[in-house]
Amino acid sequence: MKPESTQKYRPFPAVELPDRQWPDRTITHAPIWCSVDLRDGNQALPIPMSVDEKLRLFDELVRIGFKQIEVGFPSAADTEFNFLRALVDQNRIPDDVTIQVLVPAREHLIRRTYESLVGVKKAIVHLYNSTSPLQRRVTFGDASKESIKQIAVDGAQLIKELVPTLPDTGITLQYSPESFSDTELDYAVEVCNAVSGVWAPTVDKKIILNLPATVEWSTPNVHADQIEWFCRQVDHRENTIISLHTHNDRGTGTAATELGLMAGADRVEGTLFGNGERTGNLDIVIAALNMNSHGIETGLDFSDLSSTRQIYEETTRLTVPERQPYAGELVFTAFSGSHQDAIKKGFDRRTKETEEAAGENVPWGVPYLTIDPQDLGRSYEAIIRINSQSGKGGVAYVLDREHGFDLPKTMHPQVGKFIYQKADESGRELSNEEIGDLFFKQFVNVEAPLRLEKFELDHTAMAAGEVVCHATVKIGDEVIDGDGKGNGPINAFVNLLEETGRKDFTVTDYRSQALRGGSDADSAAYVQVQHIESGLLIWGCGVDPSIEMAGLKALICAWNLLREPSV
């Protein structure tokens, strides 16, 4: 933006609240949740959902655990009306779920809304009209405050008068001073008190006053001040549910909601993944999982978040961004080598601590991950992915989790360097399959320049604990036959190489494992050798159904890599 362009804007006024209490409060329990996906979310779609698509999403919202669901604007269009009737006719609304319907403060629309509610057991009739000075001046042609208030009062009066027409339906009134976020606070309270006076709420028959940040004009702290000021001033607070409905124009809808709850709100409206007009509504997934990550039970089940995302994407034709908190494809993925290493260490430590705890709860603590991906139905296998920015820990993690190779820690740098150099050369991310293929090609059962043509062990030719190996090896075009003696296959073969003048190394480490994820008979062995003159340390890996042969292949692999130290 050019400097001169900023002259057209003005700072948003602060709220006079010197004794504000919300900064010293914390969120200790979940609010009442209301999904507005089927109304606010749907009206923001380039292609609105069909009745069948809305039914599918409604069922998912019920499964997740929403007890209040705004199903639409039934007086606005036949599709909206027919959707609500389908819910009723198909008996899709559980007894513990209250549906919410939106209606502006206009008589014929209110009457049509009541027609749509026949057969509904519990309903919230959501009445609204705009109250801000900008809306009064522009939308309503300089309408007076008194006339705008009267619109709200008349709407509330009609909603109350029509309650007896639905004797089998429990009706709750919800009123929204639309554009509350830039309405004068004293006037917002005045209008809401007038509506509340008509409804005459009690402890058993509360009114919901929904305070929409229809447009997010201010910083989240100012929003919190607005909510706390309103909660202090409104009549019948003990008989009133204060509800939040934040939008995300400034990118701080989640923060505004959290601070609004600290300021005294009881209820939250939002959508899955933040769908909504312009920059969207509050993302209830983020708000709820933020609470979960602090040990707060929310009543919402996002344990199969990938499935929820799929249903959302298929019904709305929108795509959840890859970096969307909790739900995005890449949010539990680390590319940076230092991050990968820390995550791997965190998982390893947590596994150990969980085993030692013997059933006791172990607090979550893995670097870079605020929540356990498994709690959301995400798998650990997808957490670490490899590109040129990756490091040794990440490569080792992928080889372990995806391919079953538990590499010795001192082998990580050798393998990691080679893999991420290949990623750098390709200029892109490597798939898990590519990482496995590169590892096998470079570090497993390498057979050049030395190739083992024949190998036999004789356990009877020597004293107990010693063996003789009879081997034929080919080095380039040279074929060598010989015998070696030792306390095991590897030691015997090393002695054979020494007798033929091919031993210029010492064996410095050996590990073995049953290979997970492959054949049940496969074993993996790792042998580290050190070149006598240069001091170079090299690991090789061998895979074979026989653990003895796997070790021998690992030694040969290391010997060959010592000749071709490309890593």
Side-chain angles (χ1 to χ4, degrees):
M1 185 180 291
K2 295 180 179 179
E4 58 270 22
S5 299
T6 62
Q7 301 305 309
K8 70 177 72 169
Y9 304 106
R10 297 292 182 269
F12 195 85
V15 177
E16 184 65 28
L17 193 66
D19 60 339
R20 58 182 57 85
Q21 301 298 308
W22 64 262
D24 294 325
R25 296 174 184 160
T26 58
I27 298 173
T28 59
H29 62 278
I32 301 166
W33 302 105
C34 179
S35 160
V36 294
D37 289 87
L38 299 169
R39 195 278 301 174
D40 207 344
N42 185 55
Q43 75 182 39
L45 298 176
I47 303 175
M49 287 179 274
S50 66
V51 169
D52 287 342
E53 288 168 336
K54 292 186 77 172
L55 288 170
R56 185 184 180 200
L57 186 54
F58 177 85
D59 289 344
E60 177 64 8
L61 294 170
V62 170
R63 186 202 67 76
I64 289 168
F66 286 98
K67 302 306 179 185
Q68 296 184 4
I69 302 173
E70 189 168 75
V71 296
F73 199 153
S75 63
D78 288 342
T79 299
E80 297 285 286
F81 189 97
N82 293 337
F83 167 61
L84 178 49
R85 297 316 307 160
L87 288 175
V88 176
D89 295 341
Q90 297 175 27
N91 197 29
R92 302 283 274 264
I93 307 172
D95 290 343
D96 62 346
V97 171
T98 301
I99 60 109
Q100 179 170 301
V101 287
L102 182 74
V103 61
R106 299 175 65 183
E107 180 180 354
H108 71 288
L109 298 180
I110 292 173
R111 292 185 182 277
R112 178 65 169 165
T113 298
Y114 265 75
E115 292 174 13
S116 74
L117 291 173
V118 175
V120 173
K121 294 180 180 179
K122 294 184 295 183
I124 297 168
V125 179
H126 182 184
L127 178 73
Y128 75 95
N129 66 313
S130 289
T131 58
S132 71
L134 184 60
Q135 291 275 11
R136 299 196 305 265
R137 178 169 60 87
V138 176
T139 307
F140 298 106
D142 295 311
S144 68
K145 287 184 176 181
E146 194 61 34
S147 66
I148 294 296
K149 181 174 70 173
Q150 194 61 46
I151 290 172
V153 169
D154 290 345
Q157 185 65 50
L158 181 57
I159 288 171
K160 186 174 182 178
E161 290 174 1
L162 292 175
V163 168
T165 66
L166 295 175
D168 298 324
T169 304
I171 299 291
T172 297
L173 173 62
Q174 172 172 319
Y175 174 66
S176 288
E178 188 193 0
S179 61
F180 166 82
S181 49
D182 60 323
T183 296
E184 307 95 319
L185 283 176
D186 57 349
Y187 179 60
V189 168
E190 179 184 338
V191 175
C192 288
N193 281 344
V195 170
S196 186
V198 170
W199 190 250
T202 65
V203 171
D204 297 324
K205 183 187 175 184
K206 294 186 176 183
I207 189 172
I208 301 171
L209 295 179
N210 189 53
L211 308 178
T214 307
V215 177
E216 188 180 36
W217 295 101
S218 68
T219 53
N221 62 301
V222 173
H223 178 258
D225 283 347
Q226 291 175 321
I227 301 302
E228 182 171 339
W229 194 96
F230 185 95
C231 288
R232 292 188 190 185
Q233 301 299 324
V234 72
D235 292 343
H236 312 298
R237 177 66 182 93
E238 70 281 4
N239 302 329
T240 303
I241 295 170
I242 302 298
S243 177
L244 303 176
H245 182 112
T246 56
H247 279 254
N248 203 39
D249 299 87
R250 294 171 58 91
T252 56
T254 300
T257 298
E258 292 177 335
L259 297 191
L261 290 172
M262 292 160 61
D266 311 296
R267 181 177 182 268
V268 166
E269 293 188 344
T271 60
L272 298 177
F273 313 115
N275 179 32
E277 296 281 12
R278 305 181 310 282
T279 56
N281 292 296
L282 167 76
D283 183 340
I284 282 188
V285 176
I286 294 176
L289 291 176
N290 281 355
M291 293 182 193
N292 284 163
S293 72
H294 284 191
I296 299 171
E297 175 55 51
T298 64
L300 301 181
D301 179 4
F302 292 115
S303 61
D304 190 6
L305 191 54
S306 295
S307 176
T308 299
R309 185 181 71 184
Q310 180 180 353
I311 292 171
Y312 164 85
E313 291 184 335
E314 290 175 355
T315 55
T316 66
R317 301 171 186 82
L318 299 178
T319 301
V320 175
E322 291 182 333
R323 297 296 183 185
Q324 185 91 349
Y326 300 110
E329 187 66 30
L330 297 179
V331 298
F332 295 120
T333 300
F335 289 100
S336 164
S338 61
H339 290 202
Q340 293 167 351
D341 185 60
I343 290 171
K344 182 180 186 301
K345 289 176 179 175
F347 279 132
D348 291 344
R349 181 166 185 144
R350 179 168 177 79
T351 298
K352 180 181 178 182
E353 291 175 347
T354 301
E355 292 172 351
E356 293 173 347
E360 295 294 324
N361 183 48
V362 178
W364 177 252
V366 173
Y368 302 107
L369 299 178
T370 62
I371 199 168
D372 187 345
Q374 196 170 37
D375 290 338
L376 309 183
R378 305 287 293 270
S379 66
Y380 293 148
E381 285 75 13
I383 290 173
I384 292 180
R385 292 159 62 170
I386 306 303
N387 64 13
S388 62
Q389 304 303 305
S390 304
K392 58 184 181 181
V395 173
Y397 183 92
V398 170
L399 290 172
D400 185 6
R401 299 286 178 170
E402 297 288 344
H403 303 287
F405 286 92
D406 185 12
L407 304 188
K409 189 170 182 61
T410 53
M411 191 178 183
H412 293 184
Q414 177 183 341
V415 177
K417 180 181 178 182
F418 175 77
I419 297 294
Y420 74 70
Q421 281 180 343
K422 291 298 182 183
D424 193 29
E425 292 171 6
S426 68
R428 60 175 177 80
E429 176 190 348
L430 298 179
S431 69
N432 292 333
E433 291 73 19
E434 288 175 309
I435 293 166
D437 290 344
L438 285 169
F439 175 72
F440 268 86
K441 182 178 180 180
Q442 184 65 31
F443 298 101
V444 179
N445 296 351
V446 177
E447 297 183 323
L450 187 153
R451 178 183 177 87
L452 184 65
E453 299 285 342
K454 182 179 179 183
F455 186 85
E456 295 178 356
L457 279 180
D458 186 346
H459 291 272
T460 63
M462 303 292 293
E466 293 187 316
V467 296
V468 174
C469 73
H470 309 286
T472 301
V473 298
K474 186 175 182 181
I475 304 176
D477 294 330
E478 180 183 3
V479 177
I480 301 172
D481 288 302
D483 297 335
K485 305 179 182 66
N487 57 15
I490 293 178
N491 183 241
F493 190 75
V494 168
N495 290 335
L496 184 153
L497 292 176
E498 183 172 21
E499 290 174 8
T500 59
R502 265 73 179 185
K503 181 180 178 296
D504 54 358
F505 63 91
T506 57
V507 176
T508 54
D509 205 346
Y510 168 81
R511 313 283 178 85
S512 64
Q513 65 162 122
L515 188 58
R516 302 188 309 277
S519 167
D520 292 339
D522 280 346
S523 298
Y526 311 91
V527 171
Q528 185 187 58
V529 298
Q530 183 173 32
H531 193 261
I532 293 173
E533 290 187 3
S534 67
L536 179 65
L537 288 165
I538 290 289
W539 280 96
C541 177
V543 173
D544 193 88
S546 163
I547 188 63
E548 290 184 338
M549 287 303 298
L552 185 62
K553 289 180 177 181
L555 173 65
I556 294 170
C557 179
W559 190 94
N560 285 325
L561 292 177
L562 202 60
R563 304 291 168 293
E564 300 288 340
S566 59
V567 294

